[in-house]
Amino acid sequence: MARITASVYTSHVPAIGAAMDLGKTQEPYWQKVFAGYDYSRRWLQENKPDVVFLVFNDHATAFSLEMIPTFAIGTAPDYAVADEGWGPRPVPPVEGAPDLASHIAQSVIQQDFDLTIVNKMDVDHGLTVPLSLMCGQTQAWPFKVIPFAVNVVQYPVPSGMRCFRLGQAIRKAVESYDEDLNVQIWGTGGMSHQLQGPRAGLINREWDNRFLDRLVADPEGLASVPHIEYVQEAGSEGIELVMWLIARGAMADVAGGRKPTVKHRFYHVPASNTAVGHLIMEN
């Protein structure tokens, strides 16, 4: 059967992608950010999955304020890199895993989670920046990707517990797929940041690191944190962190297995007025 072997958590700051694309990774401002992913790229080469189930949020690229699904799964064979206003990033197109994605959609919907099925979608920095951080600059991504878009843009957004339970449903779906596949699940977005209003530039190091602690040791308790705490403590865009709970809910210990092994943890501020957080856990 297919199996989820690891989860990866990372911010997806758009300026990180621009820094890579423009060759600025060794500049003093950016060097410390990218140094935090040196281990991660080595780890990924040694633990290369067949498929990555990548949880991200669209930034009014594939969807608009006219239509925003709460949860949308990509079932296409491939995905073009989106033009977000200054041309597409110079990164490879994304190869999908339509058979596995369709199976997951069927299974998760039968577990009473409503998903939107997306058969054509361009993917923006929310998906391509994590790929670049983990894979570096490459001519082709070394695995297939299932994009899974979550609405954290316009309220109402899903609760942390809803996301956590969805991760459990995704794990069941993957394990019921009758093919020997190594699958990783990645949760992206965050950490604390606010892009507008009088609190623009807010970063809360203490809250962010407490979130990382609890994500490892007390994920179900963390899933109970209400939306208002994310907004108050992590800024208006800090709500993106609920997407990390989808990945965490898919880990083995949540279903009674062994605790995951934390292979890497990294935290840095600032990166374009955003806190960058990163974790790798293995089942």
Side-chain angles (χ1 to χ4, degrees):
M1 67 180 184
R3 64 213 181 278
I4 293 176
T5 57
S7 55
V8 174
Y9 311 82
T10 182
S11 304
H12 61 212
V13 183
I16 289 176
M20 296 187 74
D21 301 341
L22 298 173
K24 295 183 177 183
T25 59
Q26 295 307 307
E27 291 186 359
Y29 181 86
W30 289 110
Q31 195 276 333
K32 291 181 181 179
V33 175
F34 290 104
Y37 290 83
D38 288 344
Y39 170 87
S40 307
R41 286 190 283 274
R42 295 193 301 271
W43 174 86
L44 189 64
Q45 289 176 349
E46 297 169 0
N47 298 274
K48 186 170 77 70
D50 300 303
V51 181
V52 166
F53 188 97
L54 202 155
V55 184
F56 73 110
N57 66 287
D58 177 74
H59 300 80
T61 302
F63 310 110
S64 71
L65 295 182
E66 297 174 352
M67 180 180 67
I68 306 179
T70 302
F71 300 117
I73 186 169
T75 55
D78 51 67
Y79 305 90
V81 178
D83 182 347
E84 299 183 62
W86 48 87
R89 289 190 64 215
V91 295
V94 175
E95 183 181 359
D99 290 344
L100 177 59
S102 297
H103 171 84
I104 292 173
Q106 164 77 14
S107 174
V108 169
I109 290 170
Q110 289 298 311
Q111 293 178 69
D112 299 329
F113 285 90
D114 296 325
L115 304 184
T116 298
I117 310 300
V118 184
N119 294 313
K120 186 179 187 335
M121 173 169 57
D122 291 352
V123 290
D124 67 16
H125 71 269
L127 185 136
T128 64
V129 166
L131 289 176
S132 293
L133 281 168
M134 293 296 295
C135 301
Q137 293 173 307
T138 180
Q139 295 300 308
W141 305 120
F143 41 73
K144 298 179 179 180
V145 177
I146 298 175
F148 191 84
V150 179
N151 171 35
V152 288
V153 175
Q154 181 174 341
Y155 278 83
V157 302
S159 69
M161 187 60 73
R162 181 73 168 164
C163 290
F164 186 63
R165 300 295 184 219
L166 175 58
Q168 294 174 262
I170 291 167
R171 179 180 180 82
K172 290 179 182 178
V174 169
E175 291 183 344
S176 67
Y177 189 65
D178 191 18
E179 185 177 345
D180 185 18
L181 292 176
N182 178 342
V183 179
Q184 292 179 6
I185 184 165
W186 295 10
T188 72
M191 297 190 84
S192 62
H193 62 303
Q194 179 151 329
L195 303 179
Q196 70 288 307
R199 296 202 308 164
L202 178 148
I203 291 176
N204 189 336
R205 294 171 182 258
E206 181 180 351
W207 192 91
D208 286 342
N209 279 286
R210 189 164 63 249
F211 182 95
L212 294 172
D213 292 341
R214 297 187 71 188
L215 190 70
V216 175
D218 181 27
E220 186 151 8
L222 183 60
S224 299
V225 170
H227 286 157
I228 190 62
E229 181 173 331
Y230 287 91
V231 176
Q232 290 174 332
E233 300 293 339
S236 55
E237 278 69 44
I239 192 62
E240 290 178 352
L241 285 166
V242 297
M243 296 188 291
W244 294 29
L245 289 164
I246 296 178
R248 186 63 179 90
M251 294 298 282
D253 63 318
V254 177
R258 291 184 298 179
K259 285 286 185 183
T261 301
V262 177
K263 302 298 292 186
H264 185 53
R265 175 170 171 167
F266 172 68
Y267 181 80
H268 176 78
V269 295
S272 185
N273 293 321
T274 303
V276 172
H278 178 39
L279 273 173
I280 297 174
M281 298 188 206
E282 288 182 354
N283 269 324

